[in-house]
Amino acid sequence: MKVLVAVKRVIDYNVKVRVKADNSDVDLANVKMALNPFCEIAIEEAVRLKEAGTASEVVVVSIGSKSCEEQIRTALALGADRGVRIDTEDGPDSLSVSKLLAKVVEKEAPGMVILGKQAIDSDNNQTGQMLGALLDRPQGTFASEVKVDGDKVQVTREVDGGLQTVELAMPAIVTTDLRLNEPRYASLPNIMKAKRKPLEVISPDDLGVTVSSNLSLLRVDPPAERQAGIMVGSVDELVEKLRNEAKVI
Amino acid sequence: MTILVIAEHDNNELKPVTLNTLSAATAIGGDIHLLVAGSNCQAVAETAAQIPAVAKVLLADNAAYEHQLAENMSKLVQTLASDYGHILASATTTGKNFLPRVAALLDVNQISDIIAVESADTFKRPIYAGNAIATVQSSDTVKVITVRGTAFDAVESAGGSAEVAAIGEACDAGISSFVGEELAESDRPELTAASVVVSGGRGMGNGENFDLLYSVADKLGAAVGASRAAVDAGFVPNDMQVGQTGKMVAPDLYIAVGISGAIQHLAGMKDSKVIVAINKDEEAPIFQVADYGLVADLFEAVPELETKL
Ligand SMILES: Cc1cc2nc3c(=O)[nH]c(=O)nc-3n(C[C@H](O)[C@H](O)[C@H](O)COP(=O)(O)OP(=O)(O)OC[C@H]3O[C@@H](n4cnc5c(N)ncnc54)[C@H](O)[C@@H]3O)c2cc1C
């Protein structure tokens, strides 16, 4: 079975983003970029499936400008076998991304597609689900456990009330939650090896997809700042303030 | 144009977050239909019919919808979609699971997790863990939207008498099935709906120490939450995680205990009205958003707090 993993280049999760002065967008100039943390978990899961003998090949796809090849190389260093970049401007919308991925899936015919449940920049949490719908394949979203059993896969999902397990006919789409696994670090030899692994670049035209969007970003604002609070010296003072000043207890 | 809202429920009870999502629908404006899709969920439809904001309840009662599997739900909503200009669901793990499929089937984008309605086609939503608020406009023929419940006041739940119309369609995609679930049992209020939340982080040290927080919570009628670190360490289950990738809460009072205040955690709680932080590190970033900060060892401060409430 082949496993396809879709990954996104995003702002490093430790960086607090700033809004541009003209409110047109956030400012990503000179900001540290990285692999989306949920995508890292997706790669790790695919590599583990390969190490367990369940998967035969791990193909990693990213969509964007040349800069996202850095993240594809990271994925290759973590154990993916080959990479595909679909050449677009950065940040196509989720529907376009899903359409492009659906074409790659048709071409590559993987038994499973693993994606992160959300990208920490747009926070949309929708690409995997959209891909499932376009392909008419089942999905196990927010996965904390993935168990392949023949031509079926059982996915345990993190839901608001606790955990839910579903069984999906393969090919299936899986989106990762934080507790699915703990991603490894890439070793130096593997980083060197990754440089020689194949990385193919294709265009949306090659896939017969036109990238466009009916969504426009009108403006971006910083969130309302909280007023600076005070430090209290004791539990007594805290209780007194909550009772008499904030009146919340 | 009419708006379709998809009800959040467990086949027995309508979940309160539905009332918040209906509130977003009223802000958009237009007749509102509420879809109750489930199995043996007549009682939910009856409750829903009493909501004055709802003009009509659509009841799809079929085994195929019992667990609201995304594959089946999305096909059902697709069959209904042509009558509507907006389709809304709550940004819960249920709504987030099936609604993007609906959007893709209708060849439109989803506008995720909105916190404000500017007009019928323009919405505000947080991006970058809430460190920026985007205003987005959609020219799609049908707007498919998930709603952050805490950002909208609930609509009235009683006094109406909407018609309940049964939907015959049984959309069973046949490619997925429910195996089982482990749901947390708790007598405390639900995290996203509670007016007081007490949360613990890695500083709690282990799961047993969360008893300290449960005692405080029970005095305050509060729900108990946690940071990701506390969940990852196995102190408490995943459904307690507050943050960018966990639950969004906005109670009147949020008490953060032994939580450092990473941006991903703040994303889930910084819209709380009053924030209290108890942490032994005076440099902890949580103090920057706290209205009342107490630098103390939680193992002394929390038991003392419990006795003084
Ligand atoms: C993709 C991604 C998504 C994430 N999503 C979330 C999310 O949704 N929610 C979330 O919470 N995190 C999330 N995180 C993790 C986040 O970055 C932090 O790692 C996490 O919030 C830290 O949890 P903590 O504050 O409990 O632990 P720590 O940062 O370790 O802080 C523990 C605090 O406890 C204090 N402490 C220790 N002992 C005591 C004591 N005896 N008395 C008083 N204080 C004490 C310490 O001073 C410290 O400030 C995410 C991370 C990533 C990469």
Side-chain angles (χ1 to χ4, degrees):
Chain A
M1 171 181 81
K2 192 191 281 185
V3 177
L4 191 82
V5 182
V7 303
K8 187 175 185 186
R9 172 185 170 88
V10 298
I11 189 169
D12 184 277
Y13 79 93
N14 284 309
V15 177
K16 188 169 170 192
V17 76
R18 289 195 190 289
V19 173
K20 284 184 185 167
D22 66 0
N23 292 100
S24 60
D25 206 338
V26 296
D27 192 355
L28 293 181
N30 305 317
V31 163
K32 185 172 174 215
M33 302 295 280
L35 199 54
N36 181 44
F38 291 99
C39 300
E40 244 180 290
I41 297 172
I43 296 160
E44 178 66 31
E45 196 63 17
V47 171
R48 288 188 193 185
L49 285 170
K50 190 176 170 197
E51 287 168 348
T54 312
S56 50
E57 189 188 20
V58 177
V59 182
V60 56
V61 192
S62 193
I63 298 168
S65 66
K66 185 151 178 55
S67 54
C68 74
E69 288 183 11
E70 190 188 334
Q71 278 62 46
I72 297 178
R73 291 287 171 205
T74 307
L76 296 173
L78 291 168
D81 297 296
R82 69 186 162 87
V84 177
R85 175 170 73 84
I86 305 173
D87 185 41
T88 67
E89 285 182 22
D90 289 326
D93 67 29
S94 309
L95 184 62
S96 304
V97 169
S98 321
K99 285 181 179 174
L100 291 166
L101 289 177
K103 291 294 178 190
V104 176
V105 171
E106 281 168 14
K107 208 167 104 184
E108 298 275 352
M112 192 186 293
V113 185
I114 314 182
L115 307 88
K117 77 165 178 179
Q118 79 193 64
I120 60 163
D121 51 0
S122 52
D123 277 338
N124 273 312
N125 193 332
Q126 58 185 15
T127 302
Q129 297 88 315
M130 290 182 139
L131 178 63
L134 295 178
L135 295 167
D136 202 14
R137 296 310 310 164
Q139 67 188 38
T141 52
F142 329 143
S144 65
E145 195 180 359
V146 174
K147 276 197 287 199
V148 177
D149 180 12
D151 58 357
K152 293 211 157 76
V153 56
Q154 282 208 357
V155 179
T156 300
R157 312 178 47 234
E158 297 203 356
V159 295
D160 288 339
L163 296 171
Q164 182 196 59
T165 304
V166 290
E167 185 170 86
L168 316 172
M170 297 215 281
I173 316 292
V174 171
T175 78
T176 63
D177 216 318
L178 294 169
R179 281 159 287 273
L180 180 57
N181 60 50
E182 252 182 76
R184 69 195 69 189
Y185 292 97
S187 67
L188 196 57
N190 284 343
I191 293 172
M192 300 312 290
K193 254 199 266 170
K195 292 189 177 154
R196 294 190 303 274
K197 288 186 179 175
L199 196 170
E200 179 194 5
V201 181
I202 53 180
S203 75
D205 281 350
D206 298 337
L207 297 169
V209 176
T210 316
V211 176
S212 64
S213 186
N214 285 338
L215 272 190
S216 40
L217 182 64
L218 299 186
R219 59 179 287 134
V220 174
D221 293 281
E225 284 299 321
R226 290 191 73 89
Q227 298 286 330
I230 58 160
M231 300 303 281
V232 293
S234 66
V235 170
D236 282 324
E237 189 184 346
L238 176 63
V239 172
E240 190 273 321
K241 294 279 187 209
L242 291 178
R243 263 201 194 117
N244 304 321
E245 194 174 270
K247 299 192 173 45
V248 283
I249 59 171
Chain B
M1 197 79 175
T2 313
I3 302 170
L4 180 67
V5 175
I6 297 134
E8 179 97 9
H9 67 90
D10 61 1
N11 295 317
N12 298 312
E13 276 175 40
L14 185 72
K15 299 281 169 175
V17 69
T18 308
L19 301 174
N20 306 87
T21 301
L22 284 166
S23 171
T26 56
I28 292 168
D31 268 359
I32 299 171
H33 294 178
L34 186 66
L35 170 65
V36 176
S39 178
N40 290 320
C41 54
Q42 179 75 32
V44 179
E46 280 160 21
T47 314
Q50 292 165 25
I51 304 170
V54 174
K56 186 173 170 183
V57 175
L58 308 177
L59 172 60
D61 194 333
N62 190 287
Y65 313 128
E66 182 176 0
H67 301 286
Q68 305 209 339
L69 293 172
E71 297 77 9
N72 303 351
M73 284 292 289
S74 53
K75 293 202 180 211
L76 168 66
V77 178
Q78 183 190 17
T79 63
L80 304 171
S82 58
D83 295 339
Y84 301 97
H86 295 79
I87 301 176
L88 274 62
S90 308
T92 55
T93 49
T94 308
K96 289 192 247 186
N97 192 37
F98 73 80
L99 205 66
R101 279 185 91 104
V102 173
L105 292 175
L106 299 175
D107 198 27
V108 301
N109 265 290
Q110 173 179 278
I111 307 161
S112 299
D113 208 17
I114 65 162
I115 55 167
V117 173
E118 298 294 294
S119 72
D121 67 3
T122 305
F123 310 91
K124 285 191 192 285
R125 55 177 303 266
I127 52 176
Y128 293 88
N131 285 307
I133 309 295
T135 305
V136 291
Q137 187 174 37
S138 162
S139 60
D140 280 321
T141 46
V142 48
K143 276 86 175 158
V144 175
I145 297 168
T146 58
V147 176
R148 181 178 295 192
T150 53
F152 295 88
D153 291 331
V155 297
E156 286 296 326
S157 62
S161 57
E163 163 203 1
V164 178
I167 308 263
E169 232 91 25
C171 301
D172 189 348
I175 48 179
S176 60
S177 58
F178 171 84
V179 176
E181 62 194 354
E182 272 174 59
L183 299 184
E185 295 283 331
S186 170
D187 298 334
R188 297 189 185 86
E190 207 266 309
L191 198 51
T192 55
S195 57
V196 182
V197 174
V198 183
S199 285
R202 196 196 312 268
M204 296 306 296
N206 60 42
E208 288 82 74
N209 290 338
F210 264 75
D211 287 344
L212 298 172
L213 302 187
Y214 294 128
S215 308
V216 171
D218 290 343
K219 284 219 164 155
L220 294 169
V224 177
S227 70
R228 173 189 172 185
V231 178
D232 282 3
F235 300 172
V236 290
N238 66 280
D239 53 274
M240 287 169 64
Q241 182 177 317
V242 171
Q244 180 185 18
T245 54
K247 287 183 180 158
M248 302 292 165
V249 304
D252 293 335
L253 174 61
Y254 187 90
I255 306 181
V257 181
I259 292 178
S260 62
I263 52 178
Q264 293 86 7
H265 188 79
L266 301 185
M269 47 64 80
K270 72 180 158 54
D271 293 328
S272 306
K273 232 175 258 159
V274 175
I275 297 174
V276 170
I278 301 177
N279 196 303
K280 67 177 179 191
D281 174 10
E282 60 181 312
E283 303 287 328
I286 189 77
F287 288 124
Q288 289 161 22
V289 300
D291 299 281
Y292 302 107
L294 177 63
V295 178
D297 186 329
L298 71 92
F299 296 105
E300 288 162 20
V302 176
E304 185 184 344
L305 178 62
E306 196 255 332
T307 59
K308 289 188 171 146
L309 286 172

